[in-house]
Amino acid sequence: MIENINWYPGHMKKTRELILENLKMVDTVIEVIDGRIPVSSRNPIIDDLVKSKPRIIVLNKSDLSDQKENENWANFFRKQGNTVVTMNCMQGKGVQGLFSVLTKMQEKKNEGQLLNRPLRLMIVGVPNVGKSSLINRMTGKKSAKTGDRPGVTKGKQWLTLKNNMQLLDTPGILWPKFEDPNVGLNLAFCGSIKDEILDIASLCLELITVLQRDYPQLLIERYKLEDVCETPLETMEAICLKRGFILPGKRIDYDRCAKTVLDEFRAGKIGSITLEKVSNE
């Protein structure tokens, strides 16, 4: 389903060029990733572009992901030599921690200098990981458009933060080919690929498959099921019956169910869920 999608539009090629063009002007890169899918939401192209430039990993959407797994992933990335800040950018949780890290970086940069220069930052990440929400928190005003759909940020913009540091925002950049189809599925589950180009009923069935395996109790509690069924399709049909997703002629409305389950997963209504575990890496 995912591997057959043509979803690497021209603006993403331009974003890649934009990052390369401006990288030399910044001191530090802030990479925003989704705490629910810490591997799938890290673009290998960004690794290739940024190389040895100092980097801060923002483990965002920590309110939607499993708290224990947030801690595991933060420790995992720190052991790789990264600076990590766990955040919920929509609510502002972790912003002060990020500013503390940046202040120390700026002090180190200006150590022994007659003229203090503001730290210049670049923010990068795949679509829909919360870059714009983070920027709005860091600037103290609504400087960037936000939304729960990918592709909201269209071009680069330099912004001044509350502490006078300079930040370059860039549009979300995906990569042209998945080596692992599970990466595409995880990005689709979390809304980083537009639903309009997907078969959402099939996508929902894949999500239920994962949740039935890793978080069965959350499915049972959210949809008031007696138990998860033998197959994910039967579980999906049980959800339809519980929610009344029935078409004329007593036909099951799979599309309505799919939209509901995907929306509720993305909003954290099913529970705090991490789809990728450190133990699997």
Side-chain angles (χ1 to χ4, degrees):
M1 177 178 65
I2 297 294
E3 57 268 26
N4 295 325
I5 295 171
N6 179 14
W7 60 284
Y8 188 65
H11 78 266
M12 291 185 182
K13 179 177 182 292
K14 291 177 183 176
T15 299
R16 188 181 190 281
E17 295 167 353
L18 184 73
I19 291 173
L20 269 177
E21 178 188 337
N22 292 281
L23 197 58
K24 57 183 177 293
M25 297 190 291
V26 302
D27 303 296
T28 301
V29 172
I30 298 175
E31 181 185 4
V32 185
I33 65 176
D34 189 323
R36 297 167 296 180
I37 49 170
V39 175
S40 295
S41 60
R42 293 195 78 200
N43 189 336
I45 289 177
I46 290 174
D47 266 347
D48 208 32
L49 297 176
V50 172
K51 293 188 171 67
S52 60
K53 184 75 70 170
R55 189 182 336 188
I56 299 169
I57 293 177
V58 169
L59 197 62
N60 191 29
K61 307 198 179 187
S62 61
D63 56 318
L64 302 178
S65 49
D66 189 317
Q67 181 59 41
K68 182 180 178 182
E69 292 300 328
N70 290 341
E71 294 169 6
N72 290 341
W73 278 113
N75 290 332
F76 176 83
F77 289 129
R78 288 187 184 113
K79 285 178 182 176
Q80 293 183 333
N82 298 294
T83 300
V84 184
V85 181
T86 302
M87 300 187 69
N88 170 0
C89 296
M90 286 294 287
Q91 296 178 8
K93 179 184 175 184
V95 173
Q96 290 310 313
L98 178 58
F99 273 127
S100 295
V101 170
L102 294 173
T103 297
K104 289 177 183 176
M105 286 183 168
Q106 180 162 277
E107 288 171 352
K108 185 175 181 180
K109 174 189 176 182
N110 288 315
E111 200 171 46
Q113 301 296 317
L114 292 175
L115 182 63
N116 287 346
R117 297 183 181 276
L119 202 67
R120 301 195 90 185
L121 313 164
M122 177 186 288
I123 188 164
V124 298
V126 305
N128 207 37
V129 289
K131 298 185 302 299
S132 295
S133 296
L134 174 59
I135 289 167
N136 291 339
R137 290 290 177 181
M138 294 177 76
T139 58
K141 56 188 177 181
K142 198 167 184 179
S143 305
K145 294 179 181 178
T146 62
D148 60 0
R149 295 160 62 86
V152 172
T153 305
K154 297 300 183 184
K156 78 170 183 178
Q157 48 184 335
W158 281 101
L159 304 166
T160 301
L161 306 186
K162 289 188 285 188
N163 58 5
N164 292 321
M165 293 179 186
Q166 299 292 310
L167 175 67
L168 176 65
D169 181 23
T170 61
I173 178 172
L174 289 165
W175 51 108
K177 182 182 178 183
F178 299 123
E179 298 301 327
D180 180 353
N182 287 325
V183 170
L185 279 173
N186 287 333
L187 288 166
F189 292 153
C190 294
S192 290
I193 301 174
K194 292 180 179 179
D195 286 341
E196 290 85 347
I197 62 172
L198 302 169
D199 175 351
I200 64 165
S202 296
L203 181 65
C204 177
L205 190 61
E206 296 279 4
L207 177 59
I208 290 172
T209 301
V210 175
L211 298 182
Q212 185 165 312
R213 181 190 68 213
D214 295 342
Y215 293 93
Q217 196 58 36
L218 293 182
L219 270 181
I220 291 167
E221 291 172 2
R222 178 62 188 173
Y223 298 106
K224 298 180 172 56
L225 306 175
E226 292 181 12
D227 200 349
V228 291
C229 301
E230 188 172 337
T231 68
L233 180 58
E234 289 172 327
T235 298
M236 188 175 184
E237 290 172 347
I239 292 170
C240 289
L241 293 174
K242 283 289 184 180
R243 288 290 182 94
F245 298 151
I246 306 297
L247 294 166
K250 297 183 179 180
R251 291 176 295 124
I252 290 177
D253 193 342
Y254 292 104
D255 285 344
R256 187 178 174 195
C257 179
K259 186 177 187 311
T260 298
V261 172
L262 287 167
D263 285 348
E264 292 186 353
F265 164 73
R266 292 166 184 169
K269 292 180 180 179
I270 297 176
S272 299
I273 293 167
T274 298
L275 299 177
E276 295 175 321
K277 309 291 196 295
V278 172
S279 57
N280 295 331
E281 291 306 303

